[in-house]
């Protein structure tokens, strides 16, 4: 009898979990999943979404010079910014922990860029970097904007990871005569691998959110060095080039999915 009641109770709890998650799942399905699936479908049809054209839009995208330029710049931006952001935010977190009495002040200062409205950032950037936005330096202004905007949030994630490491591990290392560098190498870094995975994936996603500042400062057609995929998508959307836009968006989503899966697999293997 007790066993039967236990099974019934577990089933009731499962139903409660499903009902609790249902609104969120429904919202994600309606506002994200279904529009994305329609985007994939539209990539195989003409602009009106009526006549099937197969892979024609994908071929047109790959052969488009603007797409190749934007894809190259985006790949370069991601390859430079993600390692820099991961390292800088980790170093910042370690420095904040090293000066614990004043750590709160520094945490607040690094988080301030997240609270600054985009309009204010644009006005400041136009004054400070306006002369550089039509030269190759524009790319590095974009890199600086990305790092300045996202270092604080990643620092908080690193601090959470550092706080999860037990002090007994460091005490045991001190008893064994380990130096600070040895403790960092053999205790801190291995224990931070889960956080490293989360920070890396989020940093990748952040890199596609820097477009607003670049667009508002330099316009729809900035210097070639900072012409990103988001600029291209925005221009195609304004021109109602829906077929190529859908094909390019589908390709980018597939590439991001593959990269995230590979990153998750890499970090899962390291944790094992």
């Amino acid at each position: 009898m007790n066993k039967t009641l236990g099974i019934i109770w577990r089933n009731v709890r499962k139903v409660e979990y499903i009902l609790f998650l249902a609104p969120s799942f429904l919202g994600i399905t309606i506002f994200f999943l279904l529009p994305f699936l329609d985007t994939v479908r539209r990539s195989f049809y003409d602009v009106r979404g009526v006549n099937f054209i197969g892979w024609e839009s994908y071929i047109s995208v790959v052969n488009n010079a603007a797409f190749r330029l934007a894809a190259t710049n985006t790949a370069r931006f991601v390859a430079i910014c993600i390692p820099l952001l991961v390292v800088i935010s980790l170093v910042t977190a370690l420095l904040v922990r090293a000066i614990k009495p004043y750590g709160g002040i520094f945490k607040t200062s690094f988080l301030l860029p997240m609270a600054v409205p985009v309009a204010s950032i644009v006005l400041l950037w136009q004054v400070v970097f306006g002369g550089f936005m039509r030269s190759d330096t524009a790319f590095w202004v974009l890199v600086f904007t990305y790092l300045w905007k996202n270092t604080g949030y990643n620092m908080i994630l690193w601090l959470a990871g550092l706080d999860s490491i037990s002090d007994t591990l460091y005490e045991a290392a001190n008893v064994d005569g380990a130096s600070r560098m040895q403790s960092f190498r053999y205790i801190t870094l291995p224990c931070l691998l889960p956080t490293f995975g989360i920070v890396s994936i989020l940093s990748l996603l952040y890199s596609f959110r820097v477009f607003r500042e670049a667009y508002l400062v330099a316009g729809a057609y900035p210097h070639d060095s900072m012409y990103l995929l988001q600029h291209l998508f925005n221009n195609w959307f304004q021109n109602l080039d829906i077929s190529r836009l859908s094909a390019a968006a589908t390709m980018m989503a597939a590439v991001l999915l593959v990269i995230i899966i590979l990153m998750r697999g890499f970090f899962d293997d390291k944790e094992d």
Side-chain angles (χ1 to χ4, degrees):
M1 183 65 179
N2 291 334
K3 185 177 181 181
T4 303
L5 291 175
I7 294 173
I8 294 174
W9 174 249
R10 284 196 294 271
N11 290 332
V12 170
R13 295 294 292 177
K14 289 180 180 178
V15 173
E16 289 180 352
Y17 298 151
I18 294 173
L19 292 176
F20 182 77
L21 293 173
S24 298
F25 180 76
L26 185 63
I28 291 173
T29 301
I30 293 175
F31 296 107
F32 290 94
L33 183 59
L34 292 180
F36 176 72
L37 292 177
D38 185 62
T39 299
V40 176
R41 183 191 70 83
R42 291 292 296 265
S43 68
F44 294 99
Y45 286 78
D46 61 5
V47 175
R48 295 179 301 163
V50 177
N51 300 316
F52 182 78
I53 59 175
W55 297 96
E56 183 178 323
S57 296
Y58 290 90
I59 296 172
S60 176
V61 167
V62 173
N63 292 330
N64 185 272
F67 174 78
R68 292 198 296 270
L69 173 64
T72 301
N73 287 339
T74 302
R76 178 189 176 201
F77 179 79
V78 170
I80 292 175
C81 285
I82 291 181
L84 282 177
L85 180 61
V86 170
V87 173
I88 291 174
S89 58
L90 175 57
V91 172
T92 305
L94 293 172
L95 291 175
V96 168
R97 278 179 61 90
I99 50 174
K100 283 187 177 180
Y102 309 100
I105 298 175
F106 283 95
K107 278 194 289 187
T108 302
S109 63
F110 281 109
L111 288 171
L112 277 178
M114 298 182 64
V116 178
V118 175
S120 300
I121 296 175
V122 170
L123 290 176
L124 179 62
W125 261 224
Q126 287 176 343
V127 173
V128 178
F129 301 113
F132 301 103
M133 300 310 294
R134 293 298 173 183
S135 65
D136 290 336
T137 312
F139 176 81
W140 298 105
V141 173
L142 194 64
V143 170
F144 172 78
T145 303
Y146 171 81
L147 297 175
W148 177 76
K149 189 81 173 177
N150 298 297
T151 296
Y153 185 75
N154 277 11
M155 177 193 68
I156 296 299
L157 296 177
W158 284 120
L159 287 172
L162 291 169
D163 290 338
S164 67
I165 303 175
S166 176
D167 291 335
T168 56
L169 295 175
Y170 294 107
E171 292 172 0
N174 288 333
V175 171
D176 292 337
S179 64
R180 286 189 177 182
M181 185 57 66
Q182 289 174 325
S183 297
F184 178 75
R185 179 180 178 183
Y186 295 106
I187 297 177
T188 305
L189 287 181
C191 292
L192 285 178
L193 277 178
T195 307
F196 185 34
I198 295 173
V199 168
S200 299
I201 292 174
L202 289 178
S203 298
L204 175 64
L205 299 179
Y206 295 157
S207 64
F208 291 90
R209 293 169 51 187
V210 75
F211 166 69
R212 294 178 303 172
E213 291 82 356
Y215 177 79
L216 293 174
V217 172
Y221 296 94
H223 189 267
D224 286 351
S225 65
M226 62 179 296
Y227 188 73
L228 304 177
L229 284 173
Q230 294 92 325
H231 290 94
L232 181 67
F233 292 170
N234 180 75
N235 296 334
W236 280 351
F237 179 77
Q238 290 182 339
N239 295 330
L240 296 180
D241 198 348
I242 305 300
S243 299
R244 286 201 298 180
L245 176 61
S246 299
T250 302
M251 291 168 61
M252 188 182 75
V255 171
L256 279 175
L257 179 62
V258 170
I259 292 175
I260 291 174
I261 290 174
L262 292 175
M263 292 173 69
R264 286 293 303 270
F266 173 79
F267 289 114
D268 288 345
D269 290 342
K270 289 293 184 180
E271 291 176 33
D272 295 338

